Amino acid sequence: MIGAEIEHLIKLLARLPGYGPRSARRAALHLLKNRESLMRPMSQALTVAADVIVACPQCHNLDTSSPCSVCSNPARDGSQICVVEDISDLWAVEKTGAYRGYYHVLGGTLSALDGITPDDLSIPHLVARAGDSAVREVIVALSATIDGQTTAHYLSEALRAAGVTVTQLAHGVPIGGQIDYMDDGTLSTALKSRKAV
Amino acid sequence: MPEWQDEGIILSVRGHGETGGVVSLLTRAHGRAMGYIYGATSSRMRGVLEPGNLVSVLWQAKSSDQLGNFTPELEKSAAADVMDDPLKLTAMQSACVLADKTLPERENHPGVFEGTKALMASFATDIWAATYIYWEIGLLRELGFGLDLSKCAATGAVDNLIYVSPKSGCAVSAAAGEIYKERLLALPAFLRGAGEFGDADILEGLKLTGHFLRHRVFALSNSDLPESRLRLEEKFRG
């Protein structure tokens, strides 16, 4: 017999991505066995996170301050905005350390199948931001998928009036990728985007 | 255990669970077929499962009335060929969504499969836009709403056909349609056999097929044309 409180905890854990009822039971048991070293600190961390983390009104990133630490950093390059689909993509680009401009999180991509239209994304806000005289370039860092590229083309049209340069990430051979293992789509795109060495 | 091997064009992929996906395929001999793919969101599989791609697929299930599983292998990546061109990309998306939303499941339509395969191949040529219009006319015919553009619905004349009746879907000659011309749809010259066409002709073609798709097909489910189809017409409008 499982108590109602444990059952409730398992049900909540099972709603996490990658978790089903069985893995949620394992996680709940692990937390209960490590009550002081893991469960209580995690509970406190969850409470603090729920209380203080807010969405940045400028770039839609998540942070404890508003505007977020990226948007409020004056040392960053104000002439560039990197457009990403989700916050996890922002973190991925930021982790590279290769980009020092600002970001804009769209909150998804246009999707013909799911009926996601420009109004469902933060595109009007991006167009307004790009209209700022300091912005020179908008870098579209969206997935190399049909929906991602449709959104990229839409953005390039929507940003035309703002008079900024719209660029997008290159597509091609990944670092460590072997030619004979690559699909023909990636390979043909890489050939089209070849550059002089 | 029922199974079949076929060639198919990816129409749509819906995520299911953490890593799997339910894929809709337009196959040569089994019509629009659906199946589950394990690891559909994996980095190896994502490039394969882009709409428009041609795959060789094995479908297996415990019984024939189940969803079943697909094991796909990429044959031709159409998606990568059109990604740089917004018009072609929108047209390809529109074709995939139209086929996905209108064709009944497990009903064989070899004509639509061959037409879609030809459409994907046409994106490498200059006649892709006209091919797209012919593809929509073919889709309408397969769905039971074929257009008769061979002779005038009113007089039976075969010359000077420049209109289409929005009610019957039949061509109307210039003389017979003169007094109703405000209410008739334009029949672009390339659909009458003329070799040359421009963006204005393609727009007329999209308006023509769009009218019948909207009023004969999508009206049945009380919905409008898919967003990508509307966007395609908008792009040709300029």
Side-chain angles (χ1 to χ4, degrees):
Chain A
M1 237 353 232
I2 300 176
E5 291 79 9
I6 301 177
E7 191 72 52
H8 183 55
L9 175 63
I10 291 170
K11 276 188 182 163
L12 288 176
L13 286 169
R15 283 160 62 179
L16 290 172
Y19 274 65
R22 192 169 292 195
S23 45
R25 271 202 299 275
R26 271 204 304 274
L29 278 174
H30 185 76
L31 286 169
L32 289 164
K33 281 178 190 167
N34 299 279
R35 206 171 294 212
E36 295 307 322
S37 63
L38 183 62
M39 197 173 189
R40 286 198 203 284
M42 186 181 280
S43 162
Q44 282 162 8
L46 286 171
T47 308
V48 170
D51 288 343
V52 302
I53 292 176
V54 288
C56 174
Q58 287 183 32
C59 71
H60 306 281
N61 183 17
L62 289 176
D63 207 340
T64 50
S65 58
S66 179
C68 70
S69 54
V70 176
C71 289
S72 55
N73 183 353
R76 297 191 79 105
D77 183 356
S79 69
Q80 290 180 323
I81 296 177
C82 179
V83 182
V84 291
E85 185 181 332
D86 211 348
I87 292 162
S88 57
D89 300 328
L90 185 156
W91 291 347
V93 177
E94 193 62 6
K95 199 168 149 234
T96 64
Y99 176 69
R100 297 299 301 160
Y102 292 109
Y103 292 94
H104 189 90
V105 181
L106 278 186
T109 52
L110 300 174
S111 172
L113 189 68
D114 300 325
I116 298 174
T117 63
D119 296 336
D120 300 318
L121 307 174
S122 61
I123 292 177
H125 185 199
L126 171 67
V127 174
R129 285 185 72 193
D132 188 317
S133 59
V135 178
R136 297 263 180 276
E137 182 183 6
V138 173
I139 303 166
V140 181
L142 299 176
S143 309
T145 59
I146 295 289
D147 288 344
Q149 292 311 295
T150 302
T151 312
H153 289 307
Y154 182 85
L155 287 178
S156 120
E157 282 175 26
L159 291 166
R160 197 170 291 155
V164 291
T165 306
V166 182
T167 57
Q168 74 165 336
L169 297 189
H171 303 146
V173 184
I175 302 294
Q178 287 177 286
I179 300 292
D180 60 341
Y181 281 100
M182 285 173 61
D183 65 278
D184 56 357
T186 308
L187 210 47
S188 66
T189 312
L191 273 169
K192 277 188 230 165
S193 318
R194 69 189 183 275
K195 59 181 182 182
V197 288
Chain B
M1 194 162 85
E3 65 172 53
W4 47 256
Q5 180 102 36
D6 204 348
E7 202 178 21
I9 295 163
I10 309 272
L11 298 180
S12 69
V13 183
R14 286 183 186 281
H16 189 85
E18 272 303 296
T19 57
V22 176
V23 176
S24 176
L25 276 180
L26 177 61
T27 64
R28 183 190 298 275
H30 299 85
R32 189 173 71 83
M34 297 186 78
Y36 182 79
I37 294 185
Y38 291 101
T41 55
S42 68
S43 55
R44 190 185 68 84
M45 197 55 85
R46 263 180 301 185
V48 176
L49 299 179
E50 282 296 317
N53 282 358
L54 182 71
V55 292
S56 165
V57 72
L58 173 68
W59 178 85
Q60 290 174 304
K62 283 183 180 167
S63 65
S64 59
D65 57 350
Q66 285 185 326
L67 176 67
N69 298 313
F70 280 139
T71 310
E73 194 174 314
L74 184 65
E75 286 199 355
K76 175 85 181 78
S77 171
D81 293 341
V82 299
M83 274 192 181
D84 294 337
D85 188 320
L87 266 177
K88 291 178 184 175
L89 186 63
T90 311
M92 195 186 76
Q93 248 189 332
S94 173
C96 290
V97 175
L98 283 175
D100 193 40
K101 285 190 184 284
T102 59
L103 291 172
E105 203 182 334
R106 299 188 184 197
E107 191 178 287
N108 198 11
H109 291 280
V112 182
F113 173 80
E114 294 299 343
T116 309
K117 204 173 160 185
L119 174 66
M120 298 302 164
S122 80
F123 286 126
T125 71
D126 294 335
I127 57 159
W128 69 269
T131 311
Y132 179 86
I133 306 293
Y134 278 109
W135 180 85
E136 283 197 350
I137 290 172
L139 180 71
L140 280 165
R141 187 173 53 240
E142 287 286 321
L143 295 171
F145 305 108
L147 309 181
D148 182 2
L149 308 178
S150 61
K151 61 179 187 299
C152 175
T155 62
V158 293
D159 294 326
N160 214 7
L161 304 172
I162 60 166
Y163 302 114
V164 175
S165 162
K167 285 189 176 174
S168 67
C170 295
V172 178
S173 67
E178 181 59 28
I179 54 172
Y180 309 107
K181 66 180 178 185
E182 299 301 323
R183 284 182 278 165
L184 296 172
L185 297 162
L187 176 61
F190 74 92
L191 289 178
R192 307 192 303 264
E196 304 232 325
F197 58 86
D199 283 359
D201 299 301
I202 298 300
L203 179 61
E204 293 297 348
L206 287 170
K207 281 184 191 169
L208 173 67
T209 50
H211 171 86
F212 291 101
L213 282 168
R214 181 180 276 123
H215 294 282
R216 298 282 186 272
V217 182
F218 285 91
L220 299 174
S221 55
N222 202 22
S223 56
D224 197 4
L225 293 172
E227 175 70 21
S228 50
R229 175 60 175 77
L230 294 172
R231 214 165 43 234
L232 182 64
E233 200 169 315
E234 200 58 45
K235 280 177 184 293
F236 274 99
R237 197 166 275 131

